[in-house]
Each structure stands twice: as structure tokens, then as C-alpha cells.
């Protein structure tokens, strides 16, 4: 089972004109090739949507089609919750090997599933932040300290 992080942070620039998601897709392609060379079947899932019912396939083209269907989202992916879901999913589907491709470094605090290969496509960051949206508001001229700003009209 190959799981690709498709959360908002994966849209960040990774250098060379690529995003972290571009790097994740390339890493997933290499994992497909490695698994197929070993005679294994694969299924590809999005970290933000682990509930998808994706079949395991033994054909490289079918696996590449699953990979190209993974959408980059603007949703965050809380890693501790996702790893718990991955452990349950891999157990329920009888998964022999599990690969997670993400921009988050592996934390020793996380309870990772056994047989997990963690591929980090992010940079060394002090924190991983994804933005859902930003709104612009004009500066508020403050007449008094701690005076409330008038509502935006």
C-alpha cells in the first residue's frame, strides 16, 4: 500500500521549480517500479482520504493511473490521526508493506504501524503549516490604545 500526502503543505515549493507534491509523485512512481519488479501488487491512496476503496493492482499502468488520480487538496492532515487510520487500514486489508510519502519528518513520538517505510519529501522545517485561506483587511486607525476597530463595510 502506497499512501501519498496530498495535504495543503504539499503544494509548497521544493526547489528546481517543483512542489513537494511533484517530488511525492516521483517517489511514488519509484515505489511502484520497485514493487512491480518484486512481483507485488500495489494500491495508491491519498493521506487526506484514506476511505477510498482502491483495488490492489499487479499492472504498472493501472498503478500509474491510480497515482495520477490522486488530487492535491487544501485540507490539513493531522499525522497522529492518519497514522492510526493507516494502521487499522493496513491490518484490515492484510497489507504486507506500507509506504507513506509525506513532507513531514518521522517523529519518535508517533505510534507508527509496523512495516512502514517513511519517505520524506519535505525540507528541514521547524514546523509544518498549511493555510486554508487568507483574507485582507485594511489597517485600523487606532485612536486609543485597545480601541476596537470598526466593522468592515
Amino acid at each position: 500500500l502506497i499512501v501519498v500526502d496530498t495535504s495543503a503543505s504539499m503544494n509548497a515549493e521544493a526547489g528546481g521549480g517543483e512542489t513537494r507534491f511533484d517530488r511525492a509523485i516521483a517517489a511514488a512512481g519509484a515505489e511502484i517500479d520497485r514493487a512491480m519488479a518484486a512481483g507485488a501488487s500495489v494500491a495508491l491512496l491519498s493521506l487526506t482520504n484514506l476511505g477510498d476503496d482502491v483495488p490492489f493492482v499487479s499492472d504498472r499502468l493501472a498503478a500509474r493511473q491510480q497515482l495520477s488520480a490522486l488530487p492535491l487538496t487544501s485540507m490539513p492532515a493531522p499525522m497522529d490521526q492518519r497514522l492510526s487510520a493507516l494502521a487499522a487500514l493496513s491490518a484490515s486489508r492484510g497489507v504486507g508493506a506500507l509506504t507513506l510519502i509525506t513532507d513531514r519528518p518521522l517523529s519518535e513520538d508517533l505510534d507508527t504501524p509496523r512495516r512502514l517505510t517513511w519517505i520524506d519529501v519535505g525540507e528541514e522545517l521547524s514546523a509544518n503549516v498549511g493555510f486554508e485561506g487568507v483574507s485582507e483587511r485594511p489597517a485600523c486607525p487606532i485612536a486609543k490604545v485597545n480601541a476596537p476597530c470598526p466593522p468592515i463595510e
Side-chain angles (χ1 to χ4, degrees):
L1 182 63
I2 301 171
V3 180
V4 178
D5 186 348
T6 58
S7 66
S9 64
M10 295 295 284
N11 200 32
E13 178 70 27
E18 290 184 316
T19 64
R20 293 175 185 174
F21 187 67
D22 294 332
R23 289 191 177 170
I25 294 298
E31 285 297 297
I32 289 170
D33 292 343
R34 184 193 56 72
M36 295 291 166
S41 296
V42 299
L44 285 106
L45 288 174
S46 161
L47 183 63
T48 55
N49 196 5
L50 294 173
D52 287 350
D53 187 21
V54 179
F56 279 83
V57 294
S58 301
D59 176 65
R60 185 174 274 121
L61 180 59
R64 294 276 180 174
Q65 288 172 336
Q66 285 182 3
L67 179 59
S68 66
L70 294 178
L72 186 58
T73 68
S74 62
M75 296 173 50
M79 193 55 68
D80 55 346
Q81 295 170 2
R82 299 299 175 178
L83 282 174
S84 295
L86 273 176
L89 177 67
S90 63
S92 70
R93 293 184 81 173
V95 172
L98 177 61
T99 300
L100 174 61
I101 304 169
T102 183
D103 61 347
R104 295 166 186 154
L106 178 59
S107 169
E108 293 177 15
D109 298 337
L110 295 176
D111 185 22
T112 58
R114 288 181 288 147
R115 302 178 316 273
L116 173 67
T117 300
W118 189 288
I119 299 176
D120 185 355
V121 295
E123 302 162 3
E124 291 296 321
L125 300 173
S126 58
N128 186 323
V129 178
F131 291 94
E132 298 229 356
V134 177
S135 62
E136 186 176 323
R137 179 182 171 125
C140 176
I142 300 177
K144 298 180 185 175
V145 175
N146 296 328
C149 290
I152 297 175
E153 295 178 30

